[in-house]
Amino acid sequence: MAIYREIATQLRDEIGARYISGDLLPSENQLAERFDVNRHTVRRAIDELVQDGLVRRHQGLGCRVVQKPIDYALHDRAAFSHNLNQIGLGLETEVLGRRITVLPDILAEQLALAEGTTVLEVQTRRFIGPDPVCLIRHYLFDLPDDALGGFVEGSLHSYLLQHFDLELQRGSTRLRARMPTFDECNQLAISRGVPVMEVYTRNFCRQTGQLREYSIARSRSDFFEYRVEPKP
């Protein structure tokens, strides 16, 4: 095994055992002295950790350990904010845009809806502390055109429950991992080497069983581990 990979493996083990989110790794000079190698070798080892999403480089500061992945359960409670609050994590919401639009034909076909179906589309970005962690595109059905005029922060699903007595329940969910686009890298503050996890969810009205939302979430794989909980 190449020397830099051996160093990366050892540092990876130490990060899991001894470091917490926010800790700084020793400097490249300190690591080079410790492992008796040159700084170029250390830099390649750290590149491996950055690609794995374990550390992030900060100009003038060094390499900081990122937060360990959040164990996020996919169950019938559809609210992203609520689920994170349940495990003690506050979530901030930024509304990136809202509009009335026609549902893309490919989605209309997948959802067994008529071609040309009009929807209320909302795009949000979610933050945990200062870190952007998730981008979500919400397609909402059978709501007034101005339904979300007052939605500027917090949980979208709580807003729908409070203002429209609409309680959503998660239906089918699909997941896939892929590499991020340049725009997603900028919006989520990640490198091209950190995959995003796409979560496609159908959310139904709990009372009527009617499809009321289709959402596409793109979350940082260095922040989340998804756990599927079977129905009781």
Side-chain angles (χ1 to χ4, degrees):
M1 181 185 294
I3 293 176
Y4 78 91
R5 291 189 182 276
E6 292 179 1
I7 295 172
T9 297
Q10 184 162 341
L11 291 175
R12 190 179 292 110
D13 292 341
E14 292 176 4
I15 288 172
R18 293 168 33 194
Y19 289 84
I20 61 173
S21 173
D23 283 351
L24 288 172
L25 292 183
S27 69
E28 289 184 359
N29 284 334
Q30 290 172 317
L31 291 172
E33 182 177 350
R34 171 187 168 187
F35 291 107
D36 194 23
V37 296
N38 58 45
R39 285 184 60 188
H40 177 71
T41 300
V42 168
R43 192 171 296 115
R44 291 192 67 185
I46 293 176
D47 285 343
E48 294 284 306
L49 304 180
V50 172
Q51 292 290 325
D52 288 345
L54 295 176
V55 302
R56 189 179 306 147
R57 285 190 171 94
H58 295 270
Q59 187 68 31
L61 184 62
C63 292
R64 189 182 296 279
V65 176
V66 303
Q67 179 170 316
K68 293 183 179 179
I70 297 164
D71 180 18
Y72 184 90
L74 292 173
H75 48 61
D76 70 344
R77 183 71 186 232
F80 189 71
S81 301
H82 170 85
N83 292 346
L84 288 179
N85 288 334
Q86 288 294 100
I87 57 177
L89 292 174
L91 191 73
E92 299 295 329
T93 299
E94 176 187 12
V95 178
L96 300 177
R98 56 171 70 87
R99 62 175 181 164
I100 304 299
T101 188
V102 174
L103 189 68
D105 289 345
I106 189 171
L107 284 184
E109 182 178 354
Q110 290 176 5
L111 299 174
L113 296 173
E115 186 176 321
T117 295
T118 300
V119 295
L120 178 55
E121 177 186 332
V122 183
Q123 298 182 52
T124 60
R125 177 165 58 168
R126 309 303 175 92
F127 292 79
I128 295 178
D131 297 307
V133 298
C134 188
L135 301 168
I136 308 179
R137 187 185 303 270
H138 311 260
Y139 294 105
L140 296 159
F141 307 99
D142 299 322
L143 286 174
D145 290 353
D146 61 351
L148 299 183
F151 175 64
V152 294
E153 62 182 2
S155 166
L156 173 59
H157 289 177
S158 294
Y159 182 91
L160 294 173
L161 180 60
Q162 178 181 354
H163 293 273
F164 297 95
D165 195 28
L166 175 58
E167 184 178 4
L168 294 176
Q169 179 177 15
R170 185 187 302 275
S172 63
T173 300
R174 294 189 298 112
L175 298 91
R176 79 179 182 109
R178 62 169 174 80
M179 304 312 294
T181 65
F182 285 110
D183 183 58
E184 289 165 344
C185 287
N186 290 332
Q187 293 197 69
L188 294 174
I190 55 176
S191 71
R192 291 279 286 175
V194 178
V196 292
M197 181 68 75
E198 284 189 325
V199 182
Y200 302 84
T201 305
R202 305 183 192 206
N203 292 319
F204 297 85
C205 174
R206 189 177 290 272
Q207 292 85 356
T208 67
Q210 180 185 7
L211 177 66
R212 299 300 299 272
E213 180 193 23
Y214 183 76
S215 67
I216 305 171
R218 293 154 290 159
S219 62
R220 291 171 49 167
S221 62
D222 59 338
F223 260 80
F224 293 97
E225 289 182 351
Y226 288 99
R227 172 166 46 89
V228 178
E229 292 189 347
K231 292 183 179 181

